[in-house]
Amino acid sequence: MSSHAPGPQGQPASSSGAAAPAPVNALPLQPDPDQLRRQSRDLLRGWQRGEPAALARAAPYALLAAAQPPKLAQAQLVIARELGFASWPVLLEEVERRRARALDDAAYTERVLALALGRGFDAPRPASALALLQARPTLRPPALRLLIGDAQGVDAHASLPPWGAPPLALVAFSSLATLGHEAALLAALNQLLAAGASPNAALPDPEATERSLPALYGAVARARSLALVQRLLEAGAEPNDQESLYHAVEQDDRRIVAALVAAGARWPGTNALFRQLDFEPLAHLQQVLALGADANELSPSTATRPLQHAVQRGRSLAHLQLLQAHGADVGALDAHGHNLAWHAARAGRSEVLAWLAPLGVLPPAGLQDRFLAACAAADATTAQALLAQHPGLIGELPAWHQALLPEQAQRGALASVRLMLALGWPVSVPGPWQASALNQAAFRGDAAMVALLLQHGARWSERNGYGGNALGSCLHAGNNEPVPGGDYAEVLRLLLADGAPLPDEDDELSDELAAVVDEHRGRR
């Protein structure tokens, strides 16, 4: 046996070749994942307090280093190992399997579909879906068989419960393509197409009833499968569905973008180029420009051009120069008549202004514009001087100028936001997605920004354009689309300290966020 061969219940042998410590506990037949998470958080707190009993539990696994603070992941690993599992994810998969056995057939099917396909704003969780499928291998209604590429005996034109879904859409959306089922799903797709299924079938989402999502989008964004995308396009799937190209630029497999364009996907009106500029890889921008994206396109939704959007989203000077090399006009105006230098000044981008000046593209020199530029650049001397000359200046700014505060919060421009607040800027003004600066900072997991805003009167209850508040912004991003480096646990602590209510008991929280909830409950 190699030194990394699995032992009982998937537990590896030790790196020295000796057997790993034997399990000290047994997993219940119907385990409670929340209880296991609480146990791991309790163990972490014991380490943090230096409790001998807690430290002794870590000793067999040689996890804790004297110079490093203990981490929740280490506590989770100890809990898993004590139960005889190689890792925390392996333990949770077993928990899912055992809990699935206790669900009735309808609830089980609904749960697997939600995990495999995604639902509402929740992304798919293919590993959890697969664990549940393995827990009850004899329960296979057509909807579940299709998730793993088994279309045998399925009516291609049926509407399958519990979602009333076309079989082809279930295949195209299945995230299990990412876990080794792509070939079977492709075979099932071929079988359904041969039986007359429409390549433009759409999946209804019980939590997004306003419109069904096309199968091609599912293959792009949920299955993330080039093979499924290509087959749907060959069969006549409409590439201009206002979804697929936009989400294709989010994918690492750039062949998907190329396949859609080759099939006739058009860039104008999709905002796909603008979505690409939300991400950093320069090579990905190079690709979409080479595939025909218009570097001068005027977005109907943002009223900006790609150069202007790139500045707003913090892309580098190299991104701007690449756009220029592909025909972007640095002197072009947005839909409101603002030039690129105006956007650069408003974003505090001095290096962009320096690049534009020799090209004759200059920011406006009006009083309000100069004040906004100074605030964005965190130029306290200029901003204070202008405000001293015009004491009522901030109150005279129109709403779209006052939105600079949430815009800078969205960019993480802490020094700029600190200056504006010190100058007396209204703290709760709405900006992008009709959200306040606190919503923006909470969504980014920007604890320093959240603390600063709360100190200046921001409140957790400030609304955003999606009907939620700053607490919801933190929870949604922290659970579903965290910004790299975001400290959502600390943001949640700050919002709870501001009076935000605890999340509902049935809310699915990340382990880090759940640990904060436990801490808060322990203080009450």
Side-chain angles (χ1 to χ4, degrees):
M1 179 184 290
S2 79
S3 63
H4 297 284
Q9 298 204 55
Q11 180 171 328
S14 70
S15 59
S16 64
V24 297
N25 296 312
L27 186 66
L29 291 177
Q30 295 186 23
D32 182 348
D34 292 333
Q35 184 181 59
L36 292 170
R37 291 185 172 98
R38 284 192 292 272
Q39 290 174 6
S40 66
R41 298 192 290 267
D42 288 343
L43 179 57
L44 175 62
R45 284 192 288 273
W47 290 346
Q48 292 167 338
R49 292 191 290 260
E51 296 174 359
L55 295 171
R57 291 173 64 184
Y61 311 104
L63 289 174
L64 301 182
Q68 306 256 342
K71 298 179 180 178
L72 180 61
Q74 294 170 315
Q76 291 171 339
L77 181 56
V78 168
I79 297 296
R81 292 289 180 85
E82 288 179 342
L83 290 165
F85 293 87
S87 68
W88 181 255
V90 172
L91 169 60
L92 290 186
E93 287 178 9
E94 179 60 22
V95 170
E96 287 273 20
R97 278 190 286 268
R98 296 192 186 190
R99 285 169 59 82
R101 297 187 187 110
L103 295 174
D104 65 42
D105 291 355
Y108 167 81
T109 300
E110 179 79 28
R111 178 65 174 158
V112 175
L113 284 174
L115 291 171
L117 306 177
R119 180 169 175 166
F121 290 111
D122 294 334
R125 292 166 49 193
S128 296
L130 189 58
L132 259 67
L133 284 170
Q134 293 168 345
R136 294 170 70 169
T138 60
L139 180 58
R140 288 290 184 270
L144 297 190
R145 288 197 287 114
L146 289 164
L147 298 180
I148 54 175
D150 179 4
Q152 188 65 35
V154 175
D155 180 356
H157 303 284
S159 179
L160 297 177
W163 290 5
L168 183 137
L170 293 172
V171 170
F173 271 74
S174 177
S175 66
L176 299 184
T178 64
L179 296 180
H181 290 272
E182 184 180 47
L185 288 163
L186 179 60
L189 183 63
N190 281 323
Q191 181 178 334
L192 294 168
L193 288 169
S198 169
N200 291 302
L203 181 73
D205 186 333
E207 293 187 13
T209 56
E210 63 277 5
R211 67 179 293 244
S212 297
L213 292 167
L216 184 60
Y217 157 80
V220 168
R222 307 290 176 87
R224 300 183 179 184
S225 167
L226 174 66
L228 296 181
V229 168
Q230 289 175 323
R231 185 64 189 96
L232 286 168
L233 290 170
E234 290 168 1
E238 173 55 64
N240 294 295
D241 57 14
Q242 298 304 306
E243 294 286 353
S244 294
L245 188 59
Y246 178 91
H247 291 283
V249 303
E250 301 169 345
Q251 310 306 318
D252 291 331
D253 188 343
R254 307 304 295 185
R255 296 174 298 173
I256 293 176
V257 177
L260 289 168
V261 174
R266 298 183 294 273
W267 297 96
T270 66
N271 274 343
L273 173 56
F274 296 84
R275 181 58 174 158
Q276 186 64 76
L277 288 166
D278 290 341
F279 303 101
E280 189 61 32
L282 194 63
H284 293 180
L285 176 60
Q286 172 70 59
Q287 181 201 29
V288 303
L289 291 170
L291 288 174
D294 180 5
N296 280 306
E297 180 183 358
L298 183 63
S299 167
S301 59
T302 68
T304 60
R305 299 185 188 275
L307 278 170
Q308 297 152 1
H309 187 77
V311 165
Q312 292 177 348
R313 300 300 290 164
R315 299 286 74 82
S316 71
L317 192 57
H319 289 80
L320 306 184
Q321 291 168 336
L322 180 59
L323 286 164
Q324 184 190 32
H326 281 79
D329 179 3
V330 297
L333 305 180
D334 67 16
H336 300 293
H338 303 303
N339 67 9
L340 182 57
W342 181 91
H343 286 275
R346 188 180 177 93
R349 299 290 300 274
S350 57
E351 82 285 13
V352 176
L353 291 171
W355 172 60
L356 291 173
L359 302 176
V361 182
L362 303 174
L367 170 63
Q368 291 186 351
D369 292 305
R370 286 186 289 127
F371 179 64
L372 292 168
C375 290
D379 179 356
T381 301
T382 301
Q384 289 167 348
L386 291 172
L387 196 57
Q389 296 169 18
H390 305 276
L393 182 54
I394 294 176
E396 295 169 2
L397 295 173
W400 61 281
H401 274 341
Q402 290 191 352
L404 180 62
L405 182 74
E407 290 174 12
Q408 290 296 80
Q410 185 185 59
R411 297 183 184 109
L414 185 63
S416 172
V417 170
R418 182 180 290 114
L419 172 60
M420 283 189 278
L421 293 172
L423 295 175
W425 212 278
V427 72
S428 61
V429 292
W433 43 285
Q434 290 300 301
S436 68
L438 185 63
N439 272 275
Q440 305 288 351
F443 191 88
R444 296 181 68 251
D446 191 336
M449 185 80 74
V450 167
L452 174 67
L453 290 162
L454 290 172
Q455 290 165 10
H456 284 79
R459 293 302 313 279
W460 69 269
S461 55
E462 291 170 6
R463 309 298 294 179
N464 60 55
Y466 292 99
N469 53 39
L471 176 64
S473 295
C474 169
L475 297 178
H476 174 77
N479 287 316
N480 295 291
E481 45 185 318
V483 174
D487 189 350
Y488 293 93
E490 182 59 24
V491 169
L492 180 56
R493 286 189 187 94
L494 291 166
L495 295 176
L496 292 174
D498 187 54
L502 289 170
D504 293 337
E505 291 279 356
D506 57 353
D507 282 352
E508 291 192 13
L509 301 178
S510 71
D511 291 333
E512 290 75 15
L513 293 177
V516 175
V517 172
D518 274 2
E519 291 171 11
H520 198 78
R521 286 198 174 105
R523 298 191 191 113
R524 300 175 87 179

